[in-house]
Amino acid sequence: MSSIMDVIRGRRSIRRFKRGEKVSEEDLRKILEAATYAPSAGNRQPWEFIIVENEDTKNKLAEAAYHQTWITEAPIIIVVCANEERSASRYGERGRTLYCIQDTAAAIQNMLLMAHSLGYGTCWVGAFNENEVRRILNIPIGVRPVAIIPIGKPDERPTMPPRIPIQKLIHYEKY
């Protein structure tokens, strides 16, 4: 098994997937379970997952994602949503507008890392028409789509993009 740092360093955004290679039910369960172990404010666990395999629905999501048709190559797409009301019930407006998003983002990162550790490629797609995705998937008010995550066996090996040196990002005591 790889070290966590190897998994973190090795993960890439994948936009080309091998056709015909499915995500096993067991691996999908592991990916989703990893998401549920993310930290969340007040342990509200505001994440919700919509699993999409239907080709017509995937095509509609790709159009709603500003014509990012490459996402349809993945055998499975998970639309990750934030249940705003679950966070707001304890934290009010800050829970609705911030905590649920932070918590769901942590869950998404866990999904990406687990998928990579299992040999799958993913991409965190955040560019989409939120209202259109809501309509396509019948997402209720109070639940907000945050990301579209295509998952499949990668058919590319992108190189690591440049990183800002850590010494330029660290501040002590004050900015």
Side-chain angles (χ1 to χ4, degrees), residues 14 16 19 22 30 35 50 66 80 85 93 149 157:
I14 300 298
R16 288 200 326 251
R19 295 279 185 179
K22 303 266 185 208
K30 288 177 184 176
I50 302 171
Y66 306 114
V80 184
E85 299 311 312
E93 194 59 24
I149 311 293
R157 292 183 54 102

Side-chain angles (χ1 to χ4, degrees), residues 1-8 116-117:
M1 176 167 218
S2 301
S3 78
I4 189 67
M5 198 60 181
D6 290 338
V7 173
I8 291 168
H116 175 65
S117 77

